[in-house]
Amino acid sequence: MTAGLVHISGSGEPIDVLIPAVDKDAGTLPHTIDSIRSMVRHPIGTIYVVSPDSPRIRAICARKGCVFVNERLIEPLPKSRIRYRSKRWERSGWLYQQLLKLSGDRLVRRRHFLVMDADTVLIRPHRFRIDGKTVFYYRRWSQPEYFRTYRRLTGRRRKAKVSFVAHYMLFDRHKLYRFKAMLEARHGKPWYRAIIDSIDRTRNFGFSEYETYGNMVYGENPSAVKLLPARNLHLRRGASSLTPAERRRYARNYRSLSFHKRGVYSRGQRRIARKKRPLKSRRRRASK
């Protein structure tokens, strides 16, 4: 599954890469990095891995030749100041990571940079700039609340009939800067606060950085965007368990594989389990 540290050059313009990660991503992250180097048909500049101060993530960066960046260096506000949760789910860290991605223009050096989810692995070649157009990979379904938040943020309806939540996206530093400046002018507050205040935080899925940025770029000039189907598949297994033969087989139909661990967003499971255990023990005692 790994491709080492070999750069496979493409004919496209050079790009940087930003990968937000946490410890739960440590099993997939090395494969994510390798897949970028083997499957992205652009010269790769610097791969930045943005993470809490994690020894595991630091070790992966050292082994894979990436730049480790403590997330606090680019965070627009501390994670502790984000409150996005209910009794059933916890989305504060999820939202925080999206804000980190939108802060990538503070870190990267090249105009275009690829933001990649740490739990997703590319299995077919990708180009993100073709004939002067930005390539957005898309899927057919999304969360309706993403578009309601987009309209509250921008005052615009989405023009695209597809979803841009494909687990990776090419960002343009100049367009991202203008987008955040527009939010601040429209809402009279920092861009990240405009986002947070526009979210209906009673909803589990209230905001998407990919959906928001993608619709902004597409809405300004659809002819400057090339749309390609994402063809992503979620697998309930570890990335390391995937054999080369399985990878080739999946690549016949899919462009990327994701190894999500969404259970970390749930709350109250331990409390519920503790309540159930005494009942089970009583039943065992009664059956003796």
Side-chain angles (χ1 to χ4, degrees), residues 165-202:
V165 184
H167 310 300
Y168 45 88
M169 174 172 278
L170 187 74
F171 283 76
D172 181 319
R173 289 176 62 195
H174 298 175
K175 292 180 180 179
L176 181 57
Y177 177 84
R178 290 200 304 270
F179 172 66
K180 292 191 287 190
M182 180 272 288
L183 293 184
E184 295 186 346
R186 174 178 168 79
H187 294 272
K189 61 184 71 173
W191 64 268
Y192 54 87
R193 180 53 60 188
I195 290 173
I196 293 172
D197 291 348
S198 295
I199 297 172
D200 180 352
R201 280 177 276 173
T202 66

Side-chain angles (χ1 to χ4, degrees), residues 84 89 94 98 139 141-153 156 158 163 165 195-209 211-212 215:
Y84 187 17
W89 43 262
W94 175 77
Q98 294 187 68
R139 65 184 186 184
W141 63 275
S142 189
Q143 300 288 340
E145 192 61 27
Y146 292 162
F147 306 118
R148 287 190 279 268
T149 301
Y150 175 73
R151 189 174 184 187
R152 287 192 290 268
L153 271 174
R156 308 170 186 171
R158 64 167 178 145
S163 170
V165 184
I195 290 173
I196 293 172
D197 291 348
S198 295
I199 297 172
D200 180 352
R201 280 177 276 173
T202 66
R203 301 295 185 100
N204 196 353
F205 296 92
F207 174 74
S208 166
E209 77 287 42
E211 205 75 272
T212 300
N215 275 284

Side-chain angles (χ1 to χ4, degrees), residues 35 44 76 97 112 128 146 198 206 233:
S35 76
I44 302 298
Q97 198 170 77
H112 293 98
F128 293 93
Y146 292 162
S198 295
L233 177 67

Side-chain angles (χ1 to χ4, degrees), residues 3-4 21 32-33 41 56 83 86 109 179 181 200 204 211 213 216 219 230 242 261-262 268 275 279 284 287:
T32 302
I33 295 168
R41 294 302 189 254
R56 295 179 68 190
R83 294 287 187 271
S86 73
R109 297 179 179 179
F179 172 66
D200 180 352
N204 196 353
E211 205 75 272
Y213 178 81
M216 184 274 296
L242 199 65
K261 295 183 178 179
R262 293 194 171 112
K275 288 183 178 180
L279 178 60
R284 284 196 297 268
S287 63

